[in-house]
Amino acid sequence: MNIQQNYSLKKLNTFHIDASAKYFLEVASIEDILEVLSANKYLNQSKLILGGGSNLLFTKDFDGIVIKNNLKGINLINEDSDFYYVKASAGEVWHQLVIHCINKNYAGLENLSLIPGNVGASPMQNIGAYGAEIKDTFHELEALNINDKTLHTFSNADCKFGYRESIFKHELKNQFIITSVTFKLNKRPAYNIRYGAIENELETMGVKELSIQAISKAVCNIRRSKLPNPEVMGNAGSFFKNPEIMKSKFDRLKIEFPDIVGFNIENGNVKLAAGWLIEQCGWKGKSFGDAGVHKFQALVLVNYANAKGNEIFDLSEKIMISVKEKFGVGLEREVNII
Ligand code: FAD
Ligand code: EPU
């Protein structure tokens, strides 16, 4: 075990926050994980499992052991007349898995192209974009129980997926290390272009015949045009979730704010565009030192250079207060605060 001490995490989180870990270890196999979980010295240390660091905000140094999950491997483990079953290890880069599946003509992940991060974190918040979520293609995952070191299999239902939610953010928070995820991918693609922007982009691209390759390309184009590249400007994507409110409340808000952006959802409620709410409160493009609100996408908080995690957190707090005051709507952070 090559455990390092006082290890800088600056290059390992997409906000580029200059935090450090008391202990740091990269693991490449389940045996590596078992070894560290069994070592007396680290038994009582807090543990943080790190993937690509693209959904985290460090507000302080981590006083425990950070375990960077580098388990690799993508394998077709089964198929039936309708589906391919593809098992990916937790340390695979998410977009590399998407590309692998597209190249093999395994359909279902194309709308989720270019989401940063690793496979192991994808079920944590049921990643979603452009009309798809992983719960639509998720088959099962394997995870190690941190306390008793047993390996468990979780089905789709076991994970209790919701909008940016899973059991691993609630009842089972900090209790499991996800080691692999298996996806159930279509042999016959069911193209999903109900998200308007995809249709427009396909038209701009001059696509005559739909394919999963074309949809992936369209999604990549849209994402590159909308979201700041973390390599260039520190960020963790949407900082808040889009809030869900009752239809009756939406109708009342619509009278006062006729341009309010909301979408009807299956349960009869309305999902509001948090970016719109934040922009209306005057935050878009504002910055305080190096902590700011992106100038084209108000839902994304950014680190222009050397912001501290606390400064980003304090800014998020101010935004939440002002949105609550103006619209009576509470925002919830999507990013994990450490
Ligand atoms: P990390 O940030 O490393 O970890 C996130 C959480 O998961 C932490 O609590 C961590 O402890 C835990 N964790 C990580 N790996 C494991 C594991 N193996 N076992 C147990 N726990 C684990 N998200 C979307 O849903 N849709 C988007 O469209 C989207 N766009 C984004 C765009 C940008 C520019 C950025 C920077 C982020 C975006 N995100 C989006 C958020 C982010 O990409 C996802 O949440 C992603 O799944 C995080 O993966 P990660 O490996 O970086 O996780
Ligand atoms: N809007 C504004 N001002 C802004 C930003 C947005 O008015 O500054 C309004 C616009 O009307 C726009 C609407 O908000 O039409 C929605 O914006 P956008 O299409 O950019 O999507 P989003 O709701 O901001 C969500 C996800 C993204 C995902 C995209 C595409 C959440 C919290 N965010 O963003 O996920 O990529 O849709 O599906 O659900 C992430 O989770 O990190 C993330 C980036």
Side-chain angles (χ1 to χ4, degrees), residues 128-130 163-164 195 223 226-227 236-238 240-242 261 273 275-276 279 284 296-299 334:
Y130 299 97
Y163 165 60
R164 298 295 191 272
Y195 205 96
R223 293 187 68 96
K226 280 197 159 191
L227 289 162
S238 302
F240 304 100
K241 291 172 35 168
N242 284 325
V261 182
W276 188 88
E279 181 175 351
K284 199 168 180 171
F296 302 131
Q297 184 17 310
L299 196 46
E334 181 196 295

Side-chain angles (χ1 to χ4, degrees), residues 69-277:
N69 190 320
N70 274 346
L71 274 64
K72 297 287 185 193
I74 301 178
N75 294 295
L76 177 67
I77 55 163
N78 199 0
E79 65 181 291
D80 55 30
S81 52
D82 296 323
F83 298 104
Y84 297 109
Y85 294 81
V86 177
K87 181 173 181 174
S89 295
E92 288 288 342
V93 170
W94 172 260
H95 185 62
Q96 297 303 321
L97 170 67
V98 175
I99 294 296
H100 174 94
C101 293
I102 288 171
N103 288 341
K104 300 265 186 191
N105 259 325
Y106 306 157
L109 299 183
E110 53 281 358
N111 292 54
L112 302 174
S113 296
L114 218 58
I115 295 181
N118 292 358
V119 167
S122 64
M124 294 295 297
Q125 65 156 12
N126 176 29
I127 56 169
Y130 299 97
E133 292 179 318
I134 69 151
K135 75 170 171 48
D136 308 331
T137 44
F138 176 98
H139 179 57
E140 62 184 26
L141 65 76
E142 286 176 344
L144 263 178
N145 183 318
I146 290 179
N147 298 314
D148 67 13
K149 302 187 274 292
T150 51
L151 196 60
H152 292 243
T153 301
F154 291 81
S155 68
N156 196 313
D158 293 336
C159 293
K160 299 194 181 165
F161 289 128
Y163 165 60
R164 298 295 191 272
E165 290 293 354
S166 78
I167 193 167
F168 302 103
K169 284 178 80 174
H170 298 281
E171 295 102 293
L172 301 184
K173 194 174 159 87
N174 296 333
Q175 290 186 45
F176 280 88
I177 302 180
I178 295 169
T179 54
S180 72
V181 185
T182 301
F183 295 91
K184 184 178 169 182
L185 300 169
N186 275 303
K187 290 195 164 176
R188 283 169 292 279
Y191 302 122
N192 168 0
I193 55 166
R194 58 178 179 269
Y195 205 96
I198 300 186
E199 225 171 340
N200 296 343
E201 181 60 27
L202 287 166
E203 217 174 291
T204 308
M205 286 162 57
V207 170
K208 300 272 177 302
E209 206 174 318
L210 271 185
S211 64
I212 57 175
Q213 289 76 6
I215 292 177
S216 170
K217 181 90 187 3
V219 168
C220 290
N221 290 349
I222 301 166
R223 293 187 68 96
R224 288 199 179 100
S225 72
K226 280 197 159 191
L227 289 162
N229 178 353
E231 306 274 310
V232 179
M233 188 186 289
N235 77 90
S238 302
F239 198 88
F240 304 100
K241 291 172 35 168
N242 284 325
E244 184 180 322
I245 59 169
M246 285 170 70
K247 178 84 170 66
S248 50
K249 179 163 182 175
F250 178 72
D251 292 340
R252 285 198 302 277
L253 281 170
K254 185 104 185 137
I255 294 169
E256 200 179 342
F257 306 100
D259 296 333
I260 191 167
V261 182
F263 307 92
N264 293 320
I265 52 177
E266 281 157 15
N267 63 8
N269 289 342
V270 176
K271 198 182 272 183
L272 297 178
W276 188 88
L277 301 174

